[in-house]
């Protein structure tokens, strides 16, 4: 009935207003998140063919297959290229006024949602669910190593204060730490449990995409901040995976050596 009163033109106007900059940005982010998931999943098959190393399972990273770095690398570089003011195009600047006032500084659901994939991974680790690694301590070490890499990259970049947030609250918009944390946790889930429990990886990425969408919805980040955050999150998980395994080998070797020495003394 309402449509009859408004007429076709009125309905079209409402639809066009709905498809504002905020909604378009959210759709872009959802698409980028899906591309990241498809890229890492399909890249695993390619990685098995191109890797010079024998991967311990069907899920591989950019460490075992350098070709996979195309996915996070393209997201990081793409986000930097359109970053406000410092970026090559400054694409965000003309839109700043249209975003102004969206987010403010209050807490939102994405402030908590960003950690859900990491917490799910820890819960699965300590619950004894079978994963890529047998040792729970090694799984936690991988998460700790990756988390340290993530913190250094995100906080280091934010400290440069390269871009103003869409809501004008501060100048550490680039890159999105919430998005990076969410995709870091999602990629860790994929690496550890994706081979045996693909639904776990899908759930992790679904929550990560939702986190990124909320960041745009609340006016806290530009699309460029979020794309870079996705890339850094995935890359940090890969580097943490590599460093964690190296550290575990060192720890395990030292432990075995200590016991051999003790046995020899007796």
């Amino acid at each position: 009935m309402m449509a009859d009163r408004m007429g076709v033109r009125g309905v079209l106007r409402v639809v066009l207003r709905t498809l504002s900059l905020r909604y378009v940005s959210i759709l872009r982010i959802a698409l980028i998140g899906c591309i990241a998931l498809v890229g890492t999943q399909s890249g695993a098959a390619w990685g098995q063919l191109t890797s010079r190393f024998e991967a311990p399972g069907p899920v591989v990273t950019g460490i075992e297959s350098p070709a996979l770095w195309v996915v996070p690398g393209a997201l990081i570089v793409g986000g930097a290229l359109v970053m406000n003011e410092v970026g090559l195009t400054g694409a965000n600047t003309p839109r700043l006024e249209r975003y102004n006032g969206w987010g403010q500084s209050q807490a939102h659901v994405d402030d908590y949602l960003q950690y859900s994939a990491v917490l799910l991974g820890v819960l699965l680790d300590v619950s004894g669910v079978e994963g890529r690694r047998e040792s729970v301590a090694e799984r936690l070490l991988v998460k700790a190593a990756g988390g340290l890499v993530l913190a250094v990259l995100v906080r280091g970049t934010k400290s440069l204060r390269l871009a103003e947030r869409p809501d004008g609250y501060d100048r550490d918009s680039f890159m999105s730490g919430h998005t990076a944390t969410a995709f870091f946790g999602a990629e860790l889930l994929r690496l550890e449990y994706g081979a045996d429990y693909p639904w776990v990886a899908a759930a992790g990425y679904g929550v990560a995409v939702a986190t990124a969408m909320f960041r745009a919805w609340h006016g806290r980040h530009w699309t460029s901040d979020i794309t870079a955050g996705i890339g850094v999150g995935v890359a940090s998980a890969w580097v943490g995976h590599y460093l964690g395994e190296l550290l575990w080998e060192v720890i395990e070797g030292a432990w075995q050596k200590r016991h051999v020495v003790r046995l020899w003394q007796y």
Side-chain angles (χ1 to χ4, degrees), residues 31-45 68 71 190 205:
L31 178 60
I32 291 167
C34 291
I35 290 172
L37 173 59
V38 172
T40 51
Q41 292 284 16
S42 61
L68 292 183
V71 177
R190 187 186 76 87
Y205 266 89

Side-chain angles (χ1 to χ4, degrees), residues 33-57:
C34 291
I35 290 172
L37 173 59
V38 172
T40 51
Q41 292 284 16
S42 61
W46 172 253
Q48 291 289 0
L49 297 176
T50 59
S51 177
R52 297 181 180 179
F53 306 96
E54 186 175 341

Side-chain angles (χ1 to χ4, degrees), residues 38-249:
V38 172
T40 51
Q41 292 284 16
S42 61
W46 172 253
Q48 291 289 0
L49 297 176
T50 59
S51 177
R52 297 181 180 179
F53 306 96
E54 186 175 341
V59 179
V60 299
T61 72
I63 302 300
E64 291 106 7
S65 177
L68 292 183
W69 283 100
V70 172
V71 177
L75 292 171
I76 296 170
V77 172
L81 289 178
V82 297
M83 183 176 54
N84 189 32
E85 297 182 15
V86 180
L88 298 182
T89 64
N92 294 333
T93 304
R95 308 184 200 175
L96 187 58
E97 292 182 1
R98 298 179 65 180
Y99 272 102
N100 192 31
W102 279 5
Q104 310 308 325
S105 59
Q106 68 267 25
H108 297 292
V109 64
D110 36 293
D111 291 329
Y112 311 101
L113 200 61
Q114 60 174 319
Y115 301 112
S116 57
V118 175
L119 293 177
L120 175 59
V122 172
L123 181 62
L124 292 174
D125 293 343
V126 299
S127 298
V129 177
E130 184 178 353
R132 178 176 187 147
R133 302 169 184 84
E134 294 183 1
S135 171
V136 174
E138 184 181 2
R139 299 180 194 181
L140 296 177
L141 182 61
V142 165
K143 290 179 175 60
L148 180 61
V149 172
L150 179 71
V152 170
L153 291 176
V154 172
R155 301 317 307 175
T157 304
K158 281 183 171 293
S159 67
L160 299 176
R161 300 177 63 82
L162 298 173
E164 185 177 358
R165 290 185 185 271
D167 60 9
Y169 183 68
D170 54 36
R171 292 192 52 82
D172 62 351
S173 185
F174 190 84
M175 61 191 66
S176 173
H178 286 64
T179 303
T181 302
F183 276 85
F184 167 73
E187 182 62 9
L188 285 179
L189 283 177
R190 187 186 76 87
L191 294 176
E192 190 63 48
Y193 300 103
D196 298 318
Y197 309 100
W199 60 270
V200 172
Y205 266 89
V207 171
V209 170
T211 301
M213 291 169 66
F214 275 121
R215 297 309 284 167
W217 174 263
H218 294 139
R220 300 295 287 160
H221 284 290
W222 308 99
T223 304
S224 55
D225 305 333
I226 292 170
T227 56
I230 293 173
V232 167
V234 171
S236 297
W238 291 355
V239 175
H241 164 85
Y242 176 70
L243 292 178
E245 288 190 344
L246 283 182
L247 289 173
W248 182 251
E249 288 179 4

Side-chain angles (χ1 to χ4, degrees), residues 9-45:
R9 292 184 179 179
V11 172
L12 289 175
R13 285 174 186 167
V14 172
V15 172
L16 290 175
R17 286 175 184 172
T18 303
L19 295 176
S20 62
L21 185 58
R22 179 188 296 192
Y23 294 95
V24 171
S25 295
I26 290 173
L27 290 174
R28 286 176 183 168
I29 292 161
L31 178 60
I32 291 167
C34 291
I35 290 172
L37 173 59
V38 172
T40 51
Q41 292 284 16
S42 61

